[in-house]
Each structure stands twice: as structure tokens, then as C-alpha cells.
Amino acid sequence: MIKIGTALFEACEQLERERGISKEVLIASLCDAMVAAYKKHMHTKEAANIEAILDEQSGEIGVFSTKLVVQEVEDDEIQISLAEAKDIDEDVEEGDEVKIEVTPEQFGRIAAQSAKQVITQRIREAERNLVLQEFMDKKGTLTTGIIQRVENRNVIVNIGKTDAIMPQKEQIPGEYYKSGNRIRVFVLNVKETTRLPQVIVSHAHAEIVRELFELEVPEIEDGIVEIKSISREAGYRTKIAVWSNDPEVDSVGACIGPRGNRIQTIVGELKNEKIDIVRYSEDPVEYIVNALSPARVVSVDILADDEYSHEAMVVVPDDQLSLAIGREGQNVRLAHKLTGWKIDIKSVSQMEKAEAQNFQANYVEDEVEEVEVNYDEEELQQEIEEEMNQQAYDEEDIPQEEVEEETSEEE
């Protein structure tokens, strides 16, 4: 046995407090390191019956070989005679297993070197598993971190036990990320690597808006008001559809709050990003009208509504067309993402012009069909044939005498 003292246990307890790695994991790592060192020292790779045992009371550790008690030994690596086993333990019987210490002499230095490598590796693995488990549980949730630095347009954010990466596409356009500032981010994904897990976070995800509303609006947290859908273009505008499960509670008013204090807090957290709160409806026409707010809508015509497509034609007043479409199509694009409907918007004058053109085209088509009916080619051919047959019939009916008389008179 090798005397290691109580310092090891104190170090294990300190690591458990600082890094969250349990004492049992560290002791198991030390025992595995002892076995690995023994195999290296004995130049053997296969030693299934070798194990290391640590006595916490005495502070000693040793390597032991487990052997089967038999009458006649055939393999002294895994077997021991009953007589030899009796010297170790008088109560042992044939078929029992005994543990025999095989710790080599002057094994301390070799064991220490191997133990250092193995324990270091096990500590890293334990840390990696702890981080992986923690952030796997946090995946899809909001967390708070501190901006560390900006590397290659990626923002490095410390979120506890590890540094997360915020790619450029997950950043808010025009936002300045200063080192040391606190930031609320959404955990997008956790990737396993050979070292610590790589955590991907976002500052532009639509779920950040959902989390903020759940924090600021008690009715949402209690389940009275429900968020049905969110569409967001980070840094510019967000549309959120809400629904109240209680007829006496106004879903939109609950999200706005008394004197608008709830929505103002959320807008401030999102750096003055515009937020449109619309009332959800199971009626697609009403839902589309609400989603296009603040624009006024004249009519909504459902063009397709099946499992393959959802399309609608929306008519707005002439002075509301640009507002309904939004800058660079932003308003209608967000309404499409919010409702899941493909929305085509036309003004009243555009719709009247299109209807007039369709009417004129249909009128010309009808006239062409009439002409084709009045002068059908087959009927015309039939009339010509009947006329020729009638002419031939009239020639046959002229008397022969009249023909001869006419001939003689001519002579």
C-alpha cells in the first residue's frame, strides 16, 4: 500500500466545491490511474482482475489482483490454491475469490505520473459532461451572460461555466456589443466537442420576445393569456399574436399593461424595437386583418385553404397600400410569418382596374365564341353540298324535247 495522506481528500473536496465535480468521481479517477500505471509498469494490456483500492481511513492506496480459489492451479494469473488462500484468510473455501496485493515496489513515482495524466483527463471529461448536461437542459431557454470579447465578428458571451458563441447572423443589426456588458441571450444549440461543449446563443431569436412577455405579463405566466405566434425581424419590428382563455381578460390590454408600462419595459429591453400586439382569431379573415395592422383593410378574399396552400387576396384603400406592405415589404412579410398565409395586397383602384381588364377580356372571348358558332365550318360545308345536289337535280328534270328545240333554234 502507498501512503497518500489526507491532502488528497481535501483537494477532492475543494474541487467539488469550486467546479462541482463530485469527490467519488475524483477517487474513482485516481484508482483507474493506479491500474493504468500498474499495467504500464508490468508491460501488460490485459489485466481484467486488477483493481486499485483506496482506504479513506488510513489514507493508503494499493493495487490488488482478484484470484479464484481452486484445488489445482492451472493459471496462476487468475487462480490460487486453497492452501495459499488459507494463509490469507482462514475462512476461505474453494470457489471463493480473494484479493491479493500486487503493488510493485518503488511504485510511487510511476503511479504519481500516470495519476496526474489520468486525473487531469478525467477532470476535463467531468467538467465537459457537467457543462453539457447543464446547457442541454437550458437549450431553448433564455439566460443572462456577460460579453467577453468579439472575435471574427462572433461575440463571445460568458454564461456561467463556459463561454458561448453568438454568430453574426444571430446578432441584432447595428447593435454594439461592448465587453463587460450584461446581455440576455437565447440558447440555440449545444454541440459536443473534444474539449468543452460549444454553446450557440442568439440575441435575435423570436423566442426572446416570448420569454420577455412571460416575465413581464403575469397573465401569460398563469396561462390566462396565450401567445399563439411570433414573427420577428430583430432590431426593426416584431408582431405577436395573443389569445385570452378568459372572456373577461383582454389579451392585448394585458400585454400592454397599465399606461403601457409592461410593453415599454419589453421595448426598452429590445433597444426600442417596434412591437405590434395583435389579437389571434380562428377565423382566417379576421386573423389576417389583425395581422396587417396598423393598416386598414377593405376586404379579404380566400383564394386557397387546404393542406397544401393558404392564400388570400387583401384589398386596402389607396392611401393604406404603402402602410400595409411596409418598408421593403416588412409589414406583409411579418404578417405572412405570423399567420402562415400567403398574402397578396392590392389597393381599391388596382383591384377595380384589374376587374375592368378581366371583364373586357371575357367580353371579347364571348364575341369570338359567337362568331365561331354562327359560321360553323361543318354546317357551311353541308349547305354547299346540298346546294350543288339541288342544282344537279334541277338539270336532270329539264325535258329532252326542250333541250333539242333549243339546240335546233341555235343552229
Side-chain angles (χ1 to χ4, degrees):
M1 299 285 283
I2 301 172
K3 186 74 173 180
I4 58 176
T6 59
L8 174 67
F9 302 105
E10 293 175 359
C12 291
E13 291 173 357
Q14 184 178 356
L15 279 172
E16 186 174 10
R17 289 193 301 269
E18 293 179 354
R19 302 190 182 185
I21 303 172
S22 67
K23 178 181 175 182
E24 289 73 16
V25 171
L26 294 171
I27 292 175
S29 301
L30 178 60
C31 292
D32 292 343
M34 290 290 292
V35 173
Y38 175 82
K39 291 179 181 179
K40 185 177 181 181
H41 181 74
M42 301 300 293
H43 304 287
T44 179
K45 294 183 178 180
E46 297 182 1
N49 60 329
I50 299 298
E51 63 177 327
I53 299 176
L54 175 65
D55 188 348
E56 295 189 25
Q57 293 182 352
S58 64
E60 294 180 335
I61 189 170
V63 181
F64 291 82
S65 174
T66 303
K67 294 187 178 183
L68 181 65
V69 179
V70 295
Q71 285 289 348
E72 295 183 3
V73 177
E74 296 179 358
D75 187 352
D76 59 357
E77 293 290 333
I78 58 175
Q79 294 176 342
I80 186 173
S81 66
L82 181 60
E84 292 179 350
K86 288 285 185 181
D87 294 337
I88 300 172
D89 185 358
E90 294 181 356
D91 298 331
V92 74
E93 296 179 359
E94 186 179 354
D96 292 344
E97 289 183 345
V98 294
K99 296 184 183 298
I100 304 171
E101 184 179 358
V102 291
T103 307
E105 295 181 1
Q106 298 179 350
F107 189 57
R109 184 178 59 82
I110 300 173
Q113 291 177 348
S114 298
K116 180 181 177 180
Q117 296 174 357
V118 174
I119 290 176
T120 303
Q121 182 181 357
R122 292 297 176 85
I123 289 175
R124 288 176 180 173
E125 289 179 359
E127 284 183 331
R128 185 172 64 87
N129 292 332
L130 285 173
V131 172
L132 183 63
Q133 184 62 40
E134 178 183 352
F135 289 99
M136 276 296 185
D137 296 338
K138 288 185 177 181
K139 184 178 178 180
T141 61
L142 204 62
T143 187
T144 302
I146 299 176
I147 299 174
Q148 299 295 308
R149 59 192 181 279
V150 178
E151 291 182 355
N152 300 325
R153 299 183 179 179
N154 297 326
V155 179
I156 309 301
V157 182
N158 181 267
I159 52 176
K161 294 180 180 178
T162 188
D163 289 342
I165 298 175
M166 186 196 302
Q168 186 180 11
K169 65 178 182 178
E170 300 299 338
Q171 302 168 21
I172 295 178
E175 181 77 8
Y176 176 68
Y177 296 98
K178 184 179 178 181
S179 299
N181 287 357
R182 297 182 70 85
I183 186 173
R184 196 184 297 269
V185 292
F186 183 80
V187 181
L188 274 180
N189 197 11
V190 181
K191 298 179 180 178
E192 291 190 52
T193 62
T194 53
R195 301 182 68 185
L196 288 177
Q198 187 180 74
V199 183
I200 309 297
V201 296
S202 171
H203 196 213
H205 201 277
E207 288 299 315
I208 292 179
V209 181
R210 182 189 297 274
E211 294 275 354
L212 290 174
F213 270 92
E214 289 177 355
L215 290 173
E216 295 295 332
V217 183
E219 289 84 353
I220 295 178
E221 187 178 1
D222 296 339
I224 299 173
V225 175
E226 184 179 352
I227 298 175
K228 290 290 187 177
S229 180
I230 299 175
S231 61
R232 185 188 186 198
E233 291 190 1
Y236 301 104
R237 195 168 193 167
T238 293
K239 285 183 181 286
I240 177 171
V242 293
W243 170 263
S244 176
N245 295 314
D246 187 346
E248 297 182 359
V249 178
D250 180 20
S251 57
V252 176
C255 294
I256 294 174
R259 298 182 180 179
N261 58 358
R262 293 176 180 174
I263 190 65
Q264 287 174 6
T265 303
I266 297 172
V267 169
E269 184 73 27
L270 297 175
K271 308 298 182 183
N272 296 323
E273 184 176 310
K274 293 181 180 179
I275 299 178
D276 296 336
I277 304 174
V278 303
R279 188 171 283 103
Y280 173 80
S281 176
E282 294 183 356
D283 180 11
V285 173
E286 183 180 356
Y287 192 21
I288 291 171
V289 170
N290 295 341
L292 287 171
S293 65
R296 290 183 289 107
V297 176
V298 174
S299 64
V300 178
D301 185 19
I302 302 298
L303 303 179
D305 185 11
D306 51 41
E307 59 180 345
Y308 301 105
S309 63
H310 302 280
E311 299 181 16
M313 171 67 72
V314 176
V315 180
V316 298
D318 290 356
D319 61 342
Q320 296 286 303
L321 181 61
S322 59
L323 183 62
I325 295 174
R327 181 180 295 178
E328 298 179 354
Q330 185 186 72
N331 192 56
V332 68
R333 187 166 57 249
L334 288 173
H336 161 65
K337 293 178 182 177
L338 188 74
T339 61
W341 283 73
K342 182 180 178 181
I343 302 172
D344 188 11
I345 299 180
K346 291 185 181 295
S347 65
V348 173
S349 58
Q350 288 175 341
M351 200 65 185
E352 290 175 351
K353 184 177 179 181
E355 289 177 353
Q357 291 176 348
N358 289 336
F359 176 78
Q360 185 177 2
N362 292 335
Y363 178 77
V364 171
E365 188 177 349
D366 292 342
E367 288 294 323
V368 171
E369 287 180 358
E370 265 185 49
V371 171
E372 288 180 351
V373 170
N374 293 335
Y375 296 96
D376 186 83
E377 186 177 347
E378 292 183 1
E379 291 184 2
L380 186 61
Q381 183 67 28
Q382 188 175 358
E383 288 179 4
I384 293 172
E385 290 178 358
E386 289 179 358
E387 204 171 308
M388 292 178 64
N389 292 337
Q390 184 65 36
Q391 185 176 358
Y393 176 76
D394 292 342
E395 289 178 357
E396 290 177 358
D397 288 347
I398 299 175
Q400 188 66 28
E401 293 84 358
E402 293 181 3
V403 175
E404 291 177 356
E405 288 177 2
E406 289 176 359
T407 306
S408 60
E409 285 177 1
E410 287 175 1
E411 292 176 356

